[in-house]
Amino acid sequence: MAELKMAPFDAANIPGPKMGRVTAPVVLGKMIKRAKRPLLICGSEISEDGMIDKAIEIGKKGIPIAATGNAINSFMKKGYTDNVKYFSLHELTNCMRDPEWKGLDGNGNYDTAIYLGTLYYYASGLMSALKNFAPHVTVLSIDRYYHPNAVMTFGDIWRKPEDYQSMLDEVIAQI
Amino acid sequence: MEKIKAGIFDIEGLENVKIEIKEMMGEKIPEEEWAPMGPTPMPKIADLREWDRVLLKRYPPFYAPQCDVCALCTMGKCDLTGNKRGACGLSLEAMQGRIVLLACLVGASAHAAHGRHMLHDIEHMKGDLSKIPIDFGTEINVEAPLTRLITGIKPKTVADLKEVFTYIEENIVQLGDALHTGQEGSALDFESKAYQMGMLDSLGKEAADIAQMAAFNFPVGPGRPLLDVGMGTLDTNKAVIFVIGHNAPPATNICDYVIDHNLEDEVDIGGACCTAIDSSRYSTIVKLACSLGRQLRVIRAGLADCIVVDEQCIRADLLYQAQKVGTPVIFANDKKMHDMEIRDGDDPGEIVKDLVSGNVPGVVLLDPLNVGEVAVKVAQQMKPIRRKKGWTLSDEEFKKQVEACTNCGNCTVACPNGIRIGDAHKLAAEGDISLLASQFDICIGCGRCEQVCPQNIPIISTMIKAAWPLIQAEKGKIRQARGPIFDTEIRNVGAPLVLGTIPGIIAPIGCGNYPNGTKDVYTIAKEFGDRGYIVCLTGCMLIDTGLYRDEEGKTIFETHPDVFDRGGIINIGSCVSNAHIHDAAIKVANIFAQRNIRGNYEEIADYILNRVGACGVAWGAMSQKAASIATGFNRLGVPAVVGPHGVKYRRAFMGRKDREEDWYVYDARNGEKVYVGPVPEHSIIAAETIEECLPLMAKLCMRAADTPAGRSIKLTHYMDLNKKYLGAYPDDWTVFVRGETDLPMAKKAEFMQMLESDHGWKIDWKAKKILEGPTVKYDPSFDPTNLARLIKHKKE
């Protein structure tokens, strides 16, 4: 696969000197595997490009899922709600800023937030809040877009849904 | 009226003489004592800071930076990533507060300057401002609630508003000073200043609207006629004048000219944004062609024979775009002149000749009284010239353009909504235009796509071509704006609003930067109107709401009453008119609860926060004005939801329901601190989708003072909307239950069962009572306040 570009989905979304590193799926998968308290955040585009099935696969590996926007409806349609909870992403990000937050399950805040199927500009702004004000959370993106406010992110792959799905499979294989 | 000449007069025996003395020997005469003056008339920056701290403790600012650097002074650029401090010492967090204050300054300035500008125009068009009474009839005694509340002034004539604007202008300058390098350093104090700016914004809006209402005799109250709305209502069999902006006096002059010369059958006036709304209050011949999101499409569709612009929210490339379709432009405001020549004083015939011949693409006419004749004559003369040519793409040209698309994706990456235009072009090239046509509504009409297209495809035009049948069929209805709420209406709804049996006031306001098209705004208004909320619409959201019809072909303005009462859906007016929504909440405190509002901001905001269930929604919030409007609502105790693009404002005020300590208030009867639960939970928050927005708004209408009947109704809607749009009851519903009487009536047994089995609450099934579980207690005499000074008797 050709090297993916650091090209934000909104062309002008260049936040500053610290920009997300385009990272290979295997490495992102290992990062997720290594996390002590990971949280998969699925947004309102989760039903596109087969992402919902990949999210469920990740959920089945024991990673809790926050379904934001209307994403919970996609999980319900698929009949998978085991470890999925609806949460507003704005509210969730506000809580995650606080190291003392108890989390969705009452067991504490998360050390790693993984984004999938998000509304790009909305998620990007909120990743920026974590990047700048929540050093206790590592932001990873396995979305189909390059996310400059994540620490590690896929490159720009939204035009190639099949390649993207293969990349997600590589991530899942590591978890 | 006869003027008395200088000299000595004997006035004995004169009948019906009214003497009003405002100044005596240069000294101002004190205003009549119409109400005791409260503690904070004309508050300065620090005067309401303690109230701000109450709000900021419960709703601390949440920042989502759009940019991690600062480049405002020459010590920069400074990298502030990770909340570092710049060369001046300012942290990234405080920098966000600074940007928010700047946005609010721009917004408040726009409204206040618009108001001040209008005073000048009114004086020029109508004469002495002191001769224009502020009197909106017998149904409105509290004519200017925000003005009374903030300044302590009870304005009697439009001239009295000068003092109001002077107060606003001084404060804006003082607050602008705080933005300079080396001034404010605290994010919280930046936010307190943003609150101050938001409050000034609300005041400027009110003063602007009551000035134009008084000067131009805008109609007031319910029962207004239906008006045409939509791009399809523009009649190109006539000469079409397209007015855009916010400052209506030039458009009123166009109306006058058309009516005075009996040209209604020959000239069509359509408008975009608030100039359309306000000029339609002046004359119902004005059609509301579109919200601001479609102004470029109206222009590029070639629908206008003459464009007249005043101020705010008008495309900065207007002249360039208008030239593409051969439409002359008249700039009627000095804030927007686009390098055109000022032609006031020239012979109108010469100006018309220059514009029609194309000698100049546009002119500036700063005197609104000069605009009507020129605009009408230009439109009339341009019509036959422009009709010789089609301005939408021909079938052949459309085919050629969509076939040229390589689906490179540049347009999608440039698009604020990430629309997959290339996919739609590809389908169109194969003969299926349906996807491209459907994208017309999701497109916000910014035109960024065209600039990055390597094939130079005029994408705005390909979309217009594909959607042309939809555009022609776009013919909706809205009611003419009715302005302020009657005092009598407040008397009728005050109790049910405060008790909660009318579940809330929903205020859709603001711009057209929607995430997924215009239909969502209709859904918001219809959903809440159907549920018995009072829906008060203003601005661009108002216009877009009128575009849709139900199965019977009726718009919501035809199916819902034009009253400020249960289930009413009403057109309050333009951006500046949304001050009347603040006013309604203030009047509930004043008229229903008999609170003195004069110079008494803090107490009234506290009252509204704890008692008046209201929630604003700016689903397509785009402008700096939307930022200052929302911030003004927030300081007054009214929460707001913005669409997902609203996250780009950088700041939200969100509460944390898991932090119990944040949700205590005083019981004013005895000073006891009482836990009231997270109501309202947030002050401003961005929702990601419409499905998230609707239940969230219902939740934000809950208040500490809700009666059990009221809480039960509010909770019913919150839970029902969650189930309808998010597939299940919300996880947090139990925190709003204070006892069995708060439970939704229709499903009480089901919910009691859930409380017992899922949440471990103890239920006495025989008595159908909750024995143990709720964390919030309800006391019918409870008098909630966040202000220690309002405690009547301290508990020993």
Side-chain angles (χ1 to χ4, degrees):
Chain A
M1 191 177 299
E3 196 181 328
L4 297 178
K5 282 185 190 168
M6 284 174 67
F9 186 61
D10 283 346
N13 189 20
I14 309 288
K18 189 178 173 188
M19 300 271 284
R21 196 165 76 233
V22 174
T23 307
V26 173
V27 178
L28 274 160
K30 284 180 177 164
M31 288 291 289
I32 297 168
K33 174 81 176 168
R34 206 179 299 154
K36 289 194 178 87
R37 286 275 292 162
L39 177 67
L40 179 66
I41 297 170
C42 296
S44 54
E45 294 185 359
I46 196 69
S47 62
E48 297 174 21
D49 287 351
M51 285 185 276
I52 181 70
D53 296 323
K54 306 300 175 193
I56 291 169
E57 281 187 55
I58 295 171
K60 284 181 178 169
K61 287 184 178 262
I63 293 179
I65 298 172
T68 72
N70 57 8
I72 192 73
N73 295 327
S74 300
F75 284 98
M76 284 180 177
K77 263 187 206 159
K78 288 278 179 181
Y80 183 83
T81 54
D82 293 357
N83 52 353
V84 187
K85 266 198 171 185
Y86 163 74
F87 221 102
S88 141
L89 183 56
H90 214 173
E91 211 176 326
L92 175 68
T93 314
N94 187 36
C95 292
M96 289 181 79
R97 278 194 313 164
D98 175 5
E100 303 305 315
W101 181 51
K102 300 291 180 212
L104 300 176
D105 55 5
N107 292 327
N109 204 342
Y110 302 92
D111 63 351
T112 305
I114 308 129
Y115 293 77
L116 178 65
T118 63
L119 184 60
Y120 180 78
Y121 56 86
Y122 182 67
S124 180
L126 296 176
M127 285 180 197
S128 163
L130 294 180
K131 165 183 156 184
N132 285 298
F133 304 117
H136 49 282
V137 181
T138 300
V139 175
L140 306 177
S141 171
I142 54 170
D143 224 326
R144 52 192 165 163
Y145 311 119
Y146 169 69
H147 264 295
N149 286 319
V151 175
M152 293 182 188
T153 168
F154 280 177
D156 178 39
I157 190 69
W158 65 273
R159 290 182 190 83
K160 297 174 182 168
E162 283 166 16
D163 289 356
Y164 173 55
Q165 289 201 15
S166 303
M167 289 166 69
L168 286 176
D169 287 337
E170 286 183 60
V171 171
I172 292 165
Q174 297 298 321
I175 301 172
Chain B
M1 192 186 287
E2 245 182 78
K3 277 195 174 178
I4 298 174
K5 290 173 188 161
I8 298 167
F9 304 92
D10 179 1
I11 59 170
E12 268 183 38
L14 289 178
E15 287 180 6
N16 300 322
V17 173
K18 187 180 172 188
I19 300 173
E20 194 173 341
I21 302 169
K22 293 215 162 176
E23 279 187 14
M24 193 175 283
M25 308 296 283
E27 291 289 318
K28 204 168 173 193
I29 305 295
E31 201 185 346
E32 63 165 305
E33 269 302 309
W34 51 273
M37 187 62 88
T40 55
M42 300 205 177
K44 297 188 178 67
I45 290 176
D47 292 347
L48 293 169
R49 188 166 175 256
E50 287 310 309
W51 171 244
D52 298 340
R53 286 181 161 189
V54 168
L55 294 174
L56 293 168
K57 182 172 179 297
R58 187 189 275 186
Y59 309 109
F62 164 94
Y63 293 118
Q66 285 288 301
C67 178
D68 304 337
V69 302
C70 178
L72 278 183
C73 81
T74 63
M75 290 190 286
K77 303 175 181 177
C78 291
D79 173 19
L80 308 180
T81 312
N83 207 20
K84 286 199 286 289
R85 294 177 187 277
C88 67
L90 198 68
S91 67
L92 179 64
E93 184 183 44
M95 184 63 194
Q96 302 313 294
R98 188 184 187 194
I99 297 282
V100 171
L101 175 60
L102 179 61
C104 291
L105 179 143
V106 174
S109 299
H111 284 137
H114 164 195
R116 176 66 90 172
H117 192 131
M118 205 150 48
L119 286 196
H120 296 318
D121 281 349
I122 292 168
E123 199 159 27
H124 173 61
M125 296 168 84
K126 304 282 178 183
D128 187 352
L129 299 181
S130 67
K131 300 287 188 297
I132 304 173
I134 294 174
D135 179 357
F136 304 126
T138 54
E139 302 287 334
I140 296 178
N141 285 322
V142 187
E143 73 303 304
L146 278 160
T147 302
R148 290 184 181 200
L149 178 73
I150 297 166
T151 66
I153 295 170
K154 180 181 172 183
K156 294 195 179 75
T157 71
V158 174
D160 294 337
L161 299 175
K162 285 182 178 176
E163 193 177 353
V164 175
F165 283 116
T166 301
Y167 161 71
I168 296 171
E169 287 152 3
E170 185 195 330
N171 264 263
I172 287 177
V173 174
Q174 297 293 347
L175 288 162
D177 179 19
L179 290 165
H180 195 273
T181 300
Q183 298 279 43
E184 189 54 76
S186 148
L188 289 176
D189 265 312
F190 270 122
E191 295 299 349
S192 171
K193 290 175 171 66
Y195 275 141
Q196 177 82 355
M197 195 66 86
M199 183 195 72
L200 298 170
D201 177 83
S202 64
L203 180 62
K205 286 184 303 185
E206 183 187 77
D209 203 45
I210 62 178
Q212 62 179 352
M213 283 166 55
F216 297 113
N217 293 317
F218 286 175
V220 173
R224 309 264 44 90
L226 289 165
L227 306 175
D228 291 330
V229 59
M231 283 175 71
T233 64
L234 292 177
D235 184 357
T236 49
N237 292 315
K238 302 179 186 176
V240 177
I241 300 172
F242 186 44
V243 294
I244 319 174
H246 288 76
N247 202 333
T252 65
N253 187 247
I254 300 170
C255 295
D256 286 344
Y257 191 88
V258 168
I259 292 164
D260 292 348
H261 294 80
N262 297 315
L263 295 171
E264 289 98 320
D265 293 336
E266 294 175 39
V267 178
D268 212 27
I269 306 172
C273 214
C274 290
T275 290
I277 298 170
D278 281 339
S279 52
S280 74
R281 296 164 84 183
Y282 183 72
S283 170
T284 53
I285 65 171
V286 177
K287 294 170 177 173
L288 295 102
C290 63
S291 64
L292 68 90
R294 296 211 175 156
Q295 59 175 295
L296 179 57
R297 268 82 69 79
V298 171
I299 297 166
R300 288 282 294 276
L303 295 172
D305 296 307
C306 177
I307 298 170
V308 179
V309 299
D310 47 81
E311 63 169 302
Q312 300 166 32
C313 303
I314 305 155
R315 290 195 60 85
D317 63 347
L318 179 89
L319 203 60
Y320 165 72
Q321 298 289 355
Q323 281 179 280
K324 285 188 179 183
V325 290
T327 309
V329 182
I330 297 171
F331 295 90
N333 193 296
D334 54 9
K335 293 172 197 90
K336 185 172 182 69
M337 298 193 281
H338 289 227
D339 200 30
M340 295 295 101
E341 292 299 319
I342 299 170
R343 299 288 295 270
D344 294 288
D346 285 5
D347 173 38
E350 287 299 313
I351 303 170
V352 172
K353 202 168 138 192
D354 279 348
L355 286 169
V356 172
S357 66
N359 277 348
V360 291
V363 297
V364 178
L365 291 173
L366 298 179
D367 182 345
L369 296 174
N370 290 340
V371 173
E373 180 184 355
V374 174
V376 170
K377 286 182 173 168
V378 166
Q380 286 178 309
Q381 293 179 35
M382 286 305 298
K383 183 191 155 198
I385 300 169
R386 294 188 73 261
R387 295 299 178 281
K388 282 181 193 157
K389 193 175 171 195
W391 299 103
T392 52
L393 298 176
S394 66
D395 292 346
E396 296 73 31
E397 183 65 14
F398 175 74
K399 191 166 182 294
K400 189 180 131 197
Q401 293 293 354
V402 295
E403 282 176 349
C405 175
T406 60
N407 204 355
C408 69
N410 284 5
C411 51
T412 299
V413 173
C415 173
N417 280 334
I419 301 173
R420 271 58 169 180
I421 301 164
D423 292 347
H425 275 165
K426 197 177 160 200
L427 271 179
E430 292 163 8
D432 178 1
I433 60 166
S434 59
L435 181 60
L436 190 58
S438 71
Q439 290 175 347
F440 176 81
D441 188 53
I442 300 164
C443 166
I444 61 160
C446 72
R448 288 200 320 219
C449 50
E450 290 189 347
Q451 296 178 78
V452 297
C453 179
Q455 305 297 318
N456 292 316
I457 298 170
I459 295 168
I460 295 289
S461 300
T462 57
M463 243 182 227
I464 288 170
K465 174 70 177 179
W468 190 242
L470 301 174
I471 292 168
Q472 286 179 306
E474 191 181 83
K475 294 175 181 176
K477 293 282 181 194
I478 64 168
R479 285 200 185 279
Q480 187 187 34
R482 52 157 290 170
I485 308 306
F486 282 171
D487 296 5
T488 41
E489 290 176 296
I490 297 293
R491 278 190 197 98
N492 291 337
V493 303
L497 262 176
V498 171
L499 301 176
T501 50
I502 289 179
I505 303 168
I506 295 294
I509 61 167
C511 337
N513 190 16
Y514 310 123
N516 198 28
T518 53
K519 184 77 182 280
D520 288 346
V521 302
Y522 168 79
T523 304
I524 291 170
K526 184 169 186 333
E527 189 68 74
F528 285 106
D530 288 350
R531 289 171 180 273
Y533 291 74
I534 306 171
V535 182
C536 300
L537 292 134
T538 60
C540 283
M541 271 187 90
L542 157 77
I543 295 173
D544 289 324
T545 303
L547 296 176
Y548 293 90
R549 296 175 185 272
D550 63 14
E551 307 77 43
E552 291 173 13
K554 290 186 172 171
T555 65
I556 52 171
F557 293 95
E558 294 161 281
T559 54
H560 291 70
D562 183 23
V563 290
F564 189 79
D565 205 337
R566 192 185 311 276
I569 292 186
I570 56 180
N571 173 357
I572 297 288
S574 59
C575 285
V576 289
S577 313
N578 74 38
H580 303 307
I581 305 172
H582 303 68
D583 288 348
I586 296 164
K587 285 210 254 188
V588 170
N590 184 209
I591 295 168
F592 165 69
Q594 295 292 302
R595 301 275 181 125
N596 176 31
I597 63 172
R598 189 178 188 193
N600 198 14
Y601 189 94
E602 191 180 52
E603 181 180 336
I604 300 305
D606 177 63
Y607 180 92
I608 293 168
L609 180 67
N610 285 305
R611 287 175 174 80
V612 182
C615 181
V617 56
W619 193 239
M622 172 280 294
S623 65
Q624 296 82 34
K625 288 185 297 172
S628 57
I629 291 170
T631 306
F633 269 117
N634 292 164
R635 194 188 218 188
L636 194 61
V638 179
V641 178
V642 291
H645 284 294
V647 82
K648 298 173 198 166
Y649 283 121
R650 300 166 175 82
R651 183 264 280 137
F653 292 132
M654 288 181 278
R656 288 271 302 273
K657 58 178 164 266
D658 57 320
R659 288 170 50 90
E660 186 192 315
E661 63 273 26
D662 291 348
W663 304 102
Y664 281 84
V665 303
Y666 298 108
D667 187 336
R669 295 173 303 173
N670 53 23
E672 192 184 335
K673 282 204 149 187
V674 180
Y675 175 68
V676 292
V679 284
E681 189 178 339
H682 306 296
S683 191
I684 188 161
I685 180 169
E688 183 176 345
T689 64
I690 192 69
E691 294 87 350
E692 187 168 76
C693 171
L694 291 158
L696 179 58
M697 289 178 66
K699 177 159 77 167
L700 295 183
C701 285
M702 292 192 223
R703 292 295 180 275
D706 290 341
T707 60
R711 180 60 62 87
S712 166
I713 291 167
K714 293 181 182 187
L715 196 55
T716 300
H717 293 303
Y718 173 48
M719 296 180 75
D720 190 46
L721 284 163
N722 254 280
K723 186 127 192 176
K724 182 172 176 181
Y725 290 100
L726 295 170
Y729 294 131
D731 286 344
D732 63 353
W733 69 277
T734 58
V735 305
F736 305 109
V737 179
R738 301 163 300 181
E740 60 282 344
T741 47
D742 282 354
L743 291 172
M745 291 290 284
K747 294 179 179 171
K748 198 166 181 176
E750 179 191 342
F751 291 131
M752 282 177 109
Q753 186 64 54
M754 285 163 63
L755 288 171
E756 189 180 57
S757 56
D758 301 348
H759 301 279
W761 289 25
K762 286 191 179 157
I763 310 289
D764 176 346
W765 284 102
K766 210 170 183 183
K768 290 184 179 153
K769 278 191 171 301
I770 294 170
L771 299 176
E772 208 177 281
T775 47
V776 185
K777 306 295 175 204
Y778 178 70
D779 172 351
S781 307
F782 178 45
D783 185 6
T785 180
N786 299 76
L787 303 172
R789 69 178 173 83
L790 296 185
I791 297 167
K792 290 162 194 138
H793 305 288
K794 282 241 164 140
K795 207 173 179 179
E796 294 304 319

